[in-house]
């Protein structure tokens, strides 16, 4: 499976979100949509990419070849990390109006779990 770039994919995802918002609300909202994606959506999106890489669904160049498909049935502790990361990611995505301190704590936990999965 050829590796793809997270940077390139993140820019494409942010641009697609910007274009979708601009088509609904007008082009004057495009810059704000890009800021919103970077501030509110990037970490949830990135957590999904780390999970894809660790479980072998998609090879992301920046996550390293050694970590690709690292999680499987033989590694129970890594599966626990995957489940915790999925739960934190779902909470971040599902509750956009979390208090800032809670959102900051969850985002920090997502980063810690991603780092553990990527060694």
């Amino acid at each position: 499976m050829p590796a793809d770039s997270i940077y390139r994919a993140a820019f494409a995802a942010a641009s697609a979100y910007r274009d979708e918002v601009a088509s609904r609300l007008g082009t004057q909202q495009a810059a704000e949509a890009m800021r919103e994606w970077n501030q509110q959506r990037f970490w949830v999106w990135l957590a999904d990419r780390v999970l894809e890489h660790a479980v072998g669904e998609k090879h992301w160049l920046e996550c390293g070849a050694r970590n690709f498909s690292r999680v499987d049935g033989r590694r129970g502790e890594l599966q626990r990390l995957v489940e915790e990361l999925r739960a934190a990611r779902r909470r971040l995505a599902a509750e956009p109006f979390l208090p800032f301190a809670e959102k900051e704590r969850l985002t920090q936990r997502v980063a810690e779990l991603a780092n553990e999965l990527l060694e």
Side-chain angles (χ1 to χ4, degrees), residues 10-37 41:
F11 180 76
S15 296
Y17 179 74
R18 177 199 63 212
D19 295 346
E20 188 269 327
V21 168
S23 72
R24 284 186 300 113
L25 303 175
T27 56
Q28 69 278 12
Q29 296 298 317
E32 182 59 33
M34 194 68 120
R35 267 192 301 280
E36 178 193 334
W37 192 90
R41 298 170 185 262

Side-chain angles (χ1 to χ4, degrees), residues 25 27 41 46 55 57 61 71 75-76 78 83 88 95 106:
L25 303 175
T27 56
R41 298 170 185 262
L46 185 60
V55 299
E57 293 173 1
L61 183 65
V71 176
R75 295 190 172 120
L78 294 177
E83 294 308 318
E95 300 181 42
L106 273 171

Side-chain angles (χ1 to χ4, degrees), residues 4-17:
D4 199 358
S5 171
I6 283 180
Y7 296 118
R8 186 176 25 256
F11 180 76
S15 296
Y17 179 74

Side-chain angles (χ1 to χ4, degrees), residues 10-93:
F11 180 76
S15 296
Y17 179 74
R18 177 199 63 212
D19 295 346
E20 188 269 327
V21 168
S23 72
R24 284 186 300 113
L25 303 175
T27 56
Q28 69 278 12
Q29 296 298 317
E32 182 59 33
M34 194 68 120
R35 267 192 301 280
E36 178 193 334
W37 192 90
N38 287 324
Q39 293 172 353
Q40 303 294 323
R41 298 170 185 262
F42 173 74
W43 290 108
V44 172
W45 180 90
L46 185 60
D48 290 341
R49 304 302 71 84
V50 168
L51 285 171
E52 287 174 349
H53 187 81
V55 299
E57 293 173 1
K58 175 91 175 161
H59 187 176
W60 294 104
L61 183 65
E62 295 82 1
C63 294
R66 187 169 144 211
N67 295 310
F68 180 65
S69 196
R70 184 169 181 243
V71 176
D72 58 29
R74 297 182 311 265
R75 295 190 172 120
E77 93 241 14
L78 294 177
Q79 190 59 44
R80 180 193 59 75
L81 293 174
V82 165
E83 294 308 318
E84 189 177 345
L85 181 55
R86 284 182 175 146
R89 181 235 159 275
R90 277 192 303 270
R91 181 127 190 257
L92 275 172

Side-chain angles (χ1 to χ4, degrees), residues 89-107:
R89 181 235 159 275
R90 277 192 303 270
R91 181 127 190 257
L92 275 172
E95 300 181 42
F97 300 111
L98 283 172
F100 183 76
E102 178 68 8
K103 192 169 216 170
E104 186 177 53
R105 186 188 67 72
L106 273 171
T107 302

